[in-house]
Amino acid sequence: MRRAFLILIDGLRPDVLEAEVAAGRLPNLKALTDRGARSRAISVLPTTTSVAYLPFLTGCFPGTCNVPSIRWLDREAYTGRWWKDRAAVRNYCGYQAGMLDDDIAPGVQTIFQLVPESLAIFTMITRGLTPGRDPAQGARKVVGSLAHYVDCYGLLDRRAAREFLAAVDQPWRFVFTQFPAVDGYTHGATPAAREVLQSLHFIDRSIGRAVVRLDELGALDDTLFVLVSDHGATKMHTHVDLAEWFMARGVPTLHHPVLWARNPRAAVMVAGNAFASIYARPGVPRERRWTMEQLRRPEAFGTDHDVVAALVREPAVAFVAGEDAEGNVRLASSAGEAIITRDEAAIRYTLLSGDPLELGGSFSGDRDAWLARTFDAPFPDAAVHLLDQFSSRRAGDLVLAAREGYDFRNRYEIPEHKSGHGSLIRAHMHTPLWTNRPLPLVPMRTADVFPALLDWLDVPVPQGIDGRAVWQPGRAPRAKHPHRQPAGALHSR
Ligand SMILES: [Zn+2]
C-alpha cells in the first residue's frame, strides 16, 4: 500500500534547513532526501500560518478558497455594531479559529475529504476529518494558546512527534503532521535561533525513527515523504502600528483585538505581521471594493490628504495594492506606480510611473512564466498572488506588503514579535520542499504539492485547483537503486 507523510515545519526558512544539513546536523533528513530532492517552493499571499496551509491541503490559493487572510471583514454584512456584527469580522487567531473550515469556499475539497484513510496532527484545517482522525486537536487548542505565552513549544513538537510515530504503525494512507515550535521560537528571537535549530534536530531524530520503523515493516519504498514549510520569516527591526498610524491622522479605526470604534472610517487587519488589509468606511455595508482612485480621495477616510500617497511614503511599506474599476490591480510604492492586468493569454505587469515589484521592467506571461521569471525576484510570483488576493470578495480595499525588517503591529502584540512574516518578499515566500522522491526540474509552488500527493495515492485530482500536476511521483518508474537518483533539483542550494 502506498502511503504519504506530509510534514510541515511552521515558519521554517529554507536556508536555515539547508545550512543545517550542509553542516551535517540533520543526518536522517539528509539520508532520506539524498534519494530524492532538496528544493524550494513558492508560498502564497499572505505568508501566514493557516491560510498558507491551504495550498498543501486543498491545492488552492487563499483567494480561491475565499479565505484571503487570517483576519478579514465582510464588507457586505458589517454595520459597525460591536456585538451583533462580531461574526462579520474574522480573526482565526482566537475563538473564531474553528470557523475556518466553514469559511473555505464550498467547492474546494481538502485532501482529508479525498483520502478518507488520512490522519492529521495539529492541523488548523480540518474539513473532512472526524475526531478520531485528528488526535491532537484538543491539545493544539489548549496548549497552543498557552504556548503563545509560556514558551512550551517544545512540548507541542514532542506531542506531534509522538502522534506521528504512532501513525507509522497504523494503516493511514495519508498523514499530515505540523510541527509548530519553529514558528514560535522564530517570533521570539530570529529565524535561525538556537531553539529553532534544536527543534530541527529533534524533528530529524523523529523522522529517523519513522524511517527505521517503515524499513522494518518493509514499507519504505512505498512511502512518500514531503517536508515543507508554509512560509519563511525575517527579523523585524521596526514595528509600525498601522492602526495607530490611521488614528494619528484622526481616522477612527477598527482593529484587533478591541474591534470597536464609533463610526469607524477604516478597518486595519494585520497578518503575520508584515501584511495588512485595509477596509474604508467599514461600518457602511457595500458590495464592492472601492477603487484605488476613490480611496485616494481625502473623503474616503475623512482626512485632508491622499492616504495612499501617505502610506507609500512610509519606509515600512513595500507597496500598496488596490483595484481599478475594471478589476485590474493597481500598485503604488515609493518607486512609482504600475498595473497588473489579465486576459486569457497572460498576466501583464505594466510600469506606469515606476516599478513597485522591482522586476526591472514590464513583464507579461502565463502563471508558469511568472513563476519561472520571478522565483528569485524581490517579490516572487507577486502578480499571481495579488490577483488571487483580490479574487476574494472578503479581501481588503487595499492590501499592504511590508518591506524586509518592518511589520505593521506593535500595540497588543504580547510577547513582542522579534521576527515575523506575512509579506510578499522573497524571505517570506521561499519555503523548503524536500522529499525522498525525485522532483521535476521546474520551479514549483506549495500548491503543486497537493496534486503530487494525490498522484502518489492514486486519487483523481479535482478540477479547477491552482496547483499544477507538474510533479507526479506516482508515475515515475520505481528505481531499483533509489540512491542513484540525483539529489537536489533546480532550486537546491
Ligand atoms: Zn508565525
Side-chain angles (χ1 to χ4, degrees):
M1 179 184 74
R2 275 192 185 171
R3 309 177 68 188
F5 288 87
L6 176 63
I7 295 157
L8 190 155
I9 304 177
D10 200 295
L12 175 62
R13 277 177 68 125
D15 55 349
V16 172
L17 191 63
E18 288 154 13
E20 280 306 283
V21 82
R25 289 191 287 263
L26 301 172
N28 297 297
L29 273 169
K30 180 176 186 310
L32 184 68
T33 53
D34 273 350
R35 307 168 191 178
R38 294 186 283 274
S39 187
R40 293 186 182 190
I42 297 295
S43 185
V44 292
L45 184 68
T47 41
T48 50
T49 303
S50 70
V51 286
Y53 288 20
L54 289 165
F56 298 113
L57 300 175
T58 69
C60 296
F61 299 149
T64 306
C65 291
N66 203 18
V67 181
S69 184
I70 54 165
R71 299 185 173 104
W72 51 263
L73 183 137
D74 183 342
R75 68 165 64 70
E76 291 171 64
Y78 187 78
T79 63
R81 295 170 304 177
W82 171 66
W83 185 251
K84 283 198 162 158
D85 289 338
R86 66 192 187 283
V89 192
R90 199 68 87 242
N91 175 17
Y92 300 121
C93 298
Y95 77 94
Q96 292 180 324
M99 296 172 127
L100 177 55
D101 278 333
D102 284 338
D103 288 337
I104 299 172
V108 171
Q109 288 182 284
T110 67
I111 191 164
F112 309 127
Q113 291 171 292
L114 296 165
V115 184
E117 311 85 1
S118 56
L119 182 83
I121 299 159
F122 285 151
T123 182
M124 321 253 167
I125 291 140
T126 61
R127 186 187 275 185
L129 286 174
T130 51
R133 290 162 53 204
D134 187 9
Q137 187 64 239
R140 184 179 72 77
K141 282 179 186 153
V142 177
V143 191
S145 58
L146 283 176
H148 200 63
Y149 298 100
V150 299
D151 200 26
C152 56
Y153 301 111
L155 217 67
L156 289 175
D157 270 14
R158 284 198 288 282
R159 173 69 190 269
R162 205 163 67 233
E163 300 284 357
F164 162 66
L165 288 167
V168 170
D169 276 313
Q170 295 159 2
W172 304 110
R173 294 181 69 210
F174 173 66
V175 178
F176 171 58
T177 310
Q178 190 241 138
F179 287 95
V182 165
D183 187 65
Y185 290 134
T186 296
H187 283 303
T190 64
R194 188 171 50 90
E195 293 84 354
V196 169
L197 304 184
Q198 284 169 347
S199 297
L200 293 181
H201 305 157
F202 171 75
I203 293 167
D204 181 74
R205 290 193 297 276
S206 304
I207 290 173
R209 287 168 64 189
V211 168
V212 167
R213 184 67 188 132
L214 285 161
D215 207 18
E216 285 168 4
L217 296 168
L220 195 53
D221 281 350
D222 283 328
T223 305
L224 174 69
F225 279 92
V226 185
L227 182 138
V228 295
S229 162
D230 52 340
H231 55 75
T234 47
K235 213 166 143 36
M236 297 297 171
H237 53 68
T238 308
H239 307 293
V240 176
D241 196 295
L242 213 53
E244 269 180 7
W245 186 94
F246 273 92
M247 290 186 284
R249 286 173 157 67
V251 180
T253 301
L254 194 69
H255 59 100
H256 290 94
V258 182
L259 266 189
W260 194 80
R262 188 180 299 280
N263 301 323
R265 298 203 295 270
V268 171
M269 310 262 148
V270 176
N273 292 321
F275 173 84
S277 315
I278 294 168
Y279 303 77
R281 307 273 172 173
V284 184
R286 60 190 151 90
E287 267 182 38
R288 296 207 51 182
R289 260 185 285 278
W290 279 352
T291 64
M292 189 75 129
E293 196 192 331
Q294 286 172 304
L295 294 159
R296 281 177 169 280
R297 292 179 196 145
E299 60 268 28
F301 294 97
T303 58
D304 58 2
H305 57 277
D306 174 347
V307 162
V308 173
L311 283 169
V312 301
R313 278 196 300 271
E314 289 292 333
V317 175
F319 58 76
V320 179
E323 275 187 324
D324 68 13
E326 284 76 48
N328 304 310
V329 175
R330 297 294 298 248
L331 292 171
S333 80
S334 56
E337 297 192 23
I339 183 168
I340 300 169
T341 57
R342 167 178 41 182
D343 59 34
E344 259 117 74
I347 295 167
R348 296 172 211 283
Y349 170 69
T350 308
L351 308 196
L352 300 173
S353 59
D355 181 12
L357 295 183
E358 298 171 30
L359 279 183
S362 298
F363 179 71
S364 153
D366 62 10
R367 279 185 172 189
D368 289 0
W370 269 93
L371 185 62
R373 166 73 176 80
T374 65
F375 199 98
D376 283 309
F379 303 100
D381 216 15
V384 171
H385 295 289
L386 285 164
L387 287 168
D388 172 69
Q389 175 70 206
F390 287 112
S391 74
S392 169
R393 294 166 77 91
R394 294 166 173 168
D397 293 314
L398 297 172
V399 303
L400 271 66
R403 269 191 208 291
E404 185 155 345
Y406 293 89
D407 70 11
F408 294 135
R409 203 151 184 252
N410 194 12
R411 301 196 314 163
Y412 305 112
E413 195 62 271
I414 303 162
E416 183 199 352
H417 278 194
K418 291 178 181 154
S419 295
H421 48 84
S423 186
L424 253 171
I425 61 172
R426 186 169 45 214
H428 295 176
M429 291 292 280
H430 273 210
T431 60
L433 172 55
W434 288 24
T435 169
N436 62 333
R437 309 290 305 177
L439 280 173
L441 291 175
V442 294
M444 287 177 65
R445 298 186 178 95
T446 56
D448 300 331
V449 170
F450 174 85
L453 293 167
L454 294 181
D455 177 74
W456 177 258
L457 297 171
D458 263 326
V459 174
V461 177
Q463 296 289 307
I465 62 169
D466 295 304
R468 308 159 301 159
V470 289
W471 178 29
Q472 300 181 318
R475 315 235 171 134
R478 298 297 182 85
K480 266 226 157 72
H481 303 284
H483 57 271
R484 278 199 200 149
Q485 298 290 338
L490 190 61
H491 295 284
S492 287
R493 59 204 82 193

